């Protein structure tokens, strides 16, 4: 596996730092957003003062054990903690700024940075990065593969876990990117077919994500090795969905099923679906 893809590990909201520390880091980042680096400095100073008095009280309770070094120990601990919080907040806010810049000018030249920022601890940075990944992949997955210097299989294997992101915007954009890979590199996505097929009918996904997953499974249904009965069942289930992209995906699933019943359903969609794009896809597949 390509080194770049292999070393990227997903970081979601559970950072292991604790809710209080995560909240403090968030507030410091917000301060930088409002007034720049001065905001980080000012908020860290305030955090140091608060931490110092809190730790002085804590260490004071144990003064009989640690002797007269309460102030020194409290100051040292407060300095260490606030320095770490400030440094972490600075790094994450830098990710956020970089992601905002990339989002404002998404291009193939920014795809490496976008992939890196998908694993930023900062939620906003991840959302911007996912949008850029989707936008660039829409221009052609082969360009993404070329720039990253990784195989399509490795890129897809990296993107699949992002479908579990806690952020709806990340899930939707990554699902769309995977759909483009299923269209142009179906062999790279086929190993994940069962996972995707189970997700497309899940109750806890949005119409947007379901639509992209339906398209992905639909593209894959045209490859060899698809389970006809399952595709037909899911295709019929999704053919009347309110989301037009889900219905398009259903058409591809039904086409992959290659049964008379499925073809008749596609014909019905081609003649009766209220959305022109859905009818056009159905007509091509019938």
């Amino acid at each position: 596996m390509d080194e770049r893809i292999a070393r990227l590990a997903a970081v979601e909201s559970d950072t292991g730092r604790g809710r209080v520390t995560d909240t403090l880091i968030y507030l410091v980042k917000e301060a930088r957003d409002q007034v720049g680096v001065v905001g980080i400095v000012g908020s860290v100073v305030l955090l140091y003062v608060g931490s110092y008095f809190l730790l002085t009280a804590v260490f004071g309770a144990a003064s009989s054990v640690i002797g007269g070094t309460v102030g020194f120990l409290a100051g040292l601990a407060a300095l260490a903690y606030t320095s770490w919080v400030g440094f972490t907040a600075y790094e994450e806010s830098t990710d956020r700024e970089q992601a905002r810049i990339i989002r404002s000018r998404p291009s193939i030249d920014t795809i490496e940075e976008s992939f890196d920022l998908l694993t930023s601890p900062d939620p906003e940075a991840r959302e911007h990065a996912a949008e850029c990944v989707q936008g660039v992949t829409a221009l052609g997955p082969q360009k993404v593969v070329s720039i990253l210097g990784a195989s399509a299989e490795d890129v897809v294997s990296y993107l699949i876990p992002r479908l579990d992101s806690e952020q709806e915007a990340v899930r939707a954009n990554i699902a769309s990117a995977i759909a483009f890979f299923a269209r142009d590199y179906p062999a790279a996505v086929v190993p994940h077919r069962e996972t995707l097929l189970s997700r497309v009918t899940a109750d806890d996904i949005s119409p947007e994500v379901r639509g992209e997953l339906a398209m992905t499974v639909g593209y894959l249904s045209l490859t060899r090795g698809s389970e006809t009965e399952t595709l037909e069942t899911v295709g019929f289930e999704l053919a009347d969905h309110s989301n037009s992209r889900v219905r398009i995906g259903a058409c591809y699933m039904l086409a992959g099923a290659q049964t008379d019943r499925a073809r008749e359903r596609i014909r019905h969609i081609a003649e009766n679906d209220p959305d022109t794009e859905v009818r056009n896809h159905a007509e091509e597949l019938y």
Side-chain angles (χ1 to χ4, degrees), residues 9-156:
V11 178
E12 284 290 347
S13 59
D14 184 10
T15 61
R17 299 181 301 213
R19 183 173 298 179
V20 173
T21 298
D22 275 340
T23 300
L24 291 173
I25 291 173
Y26 169 78
L27 292 174
V28 175
K29 288 188 293 185
E30 290 298 303
R32 182 182 182 182
D33 271 355
Q34 296 298 320
V35 292
V37 176
V38 174
I40 285 187
V41 175
S43 57
V44 168
V45 170
L46 290 175
L47 177 58
Y48 172 79
V49 173
S51 299
Y52 175 77
F53 283 109
L54 177 62
L55 290 170
T56 297
V58 172
F59 290 151
S63 59
S64 60
V65 178
I66 61 179
T69 60
V70 171
F72 173 76
L73 291 177
L76 188 62
L79 178 62
Y81 180 69
T82 55
S83 296
W84 175 71
V85 168
F87 178 74
T88 301
Y90 177 80
E91 282 196 324
E92 292 185 17
S93 62
T94 299
D95 282 354
R96 182 185 293 185
E97 288 188 0
Q98 183 183 6
R100 288 171 178 170
I101 293 172
I102 290 173
R103 183 184 181 185
S104 69
R105 52 172 181 82
S107 70
I108 194 62
D109 295 330
T110 64
I111 193 63
E112 289 183 282
E113 293 173 284
S114 299
F115 264 73
D116 285 340
L117 289 169
L118 277 178
T119 59
S120 170
D122 183 78
E124 183 181 327
R126 293 197 299 269
E127 287 194 7
H128 292 327
E131 183 174 336
C132 292
V133 167
Q134 188 280 334
V136 175
T137 303
L139 300 176
Q142 67 276 9
K143 297 180 180 179
V144 174
V145 170
S146 176
I147 292 295
L148 291 179
S151 67
E153 289 78 6
D154 284 347
V155 175
V156 171

Side-chain angles (χ1 to χ4, degrees), residues 141-183:
Q142 67 276 9
K143 297 180 180 179
V144 174
V145 170
S146 176
I147 292 295
L148 291 179
S151 67
E153 289 78 6
D154 284 347
V155 175
V156 171
S157 293
Y158 169 69
L159 292 176
I160 288 290
R162 273 68 190 169
L163 294 174
D164 291 327
S165 171
E166 295 181 356
Q167 297 169 260
E168 168 63 24
V170 172
R171 293 196 300 272
N173 280 302
I174 294 303
S176 177
I178 292 172
F180 287 116
F181 271 94
R183 182 194 66 189

Side-chain angles (χ1 to χ4, degrees), residues 206-240:
S206 68
E208 290 72 20
V209 174
R210 195 186 308 278
E212 298 305 330
L213 294 180
M215 286 301 303
T216 299
V217 175
Y219 288 137
L220 296 182
S221 72
L222 301 180
T223 65
R224 299 176 63 182
S226 301
E227 295 184 16
T228 299
E229 184 177 351
T230 302
L231 285 173
E232 185 179 74
T233 300
V234 176
F236 268 90
E237 180 180 341
L238 299 179
D240 294 318

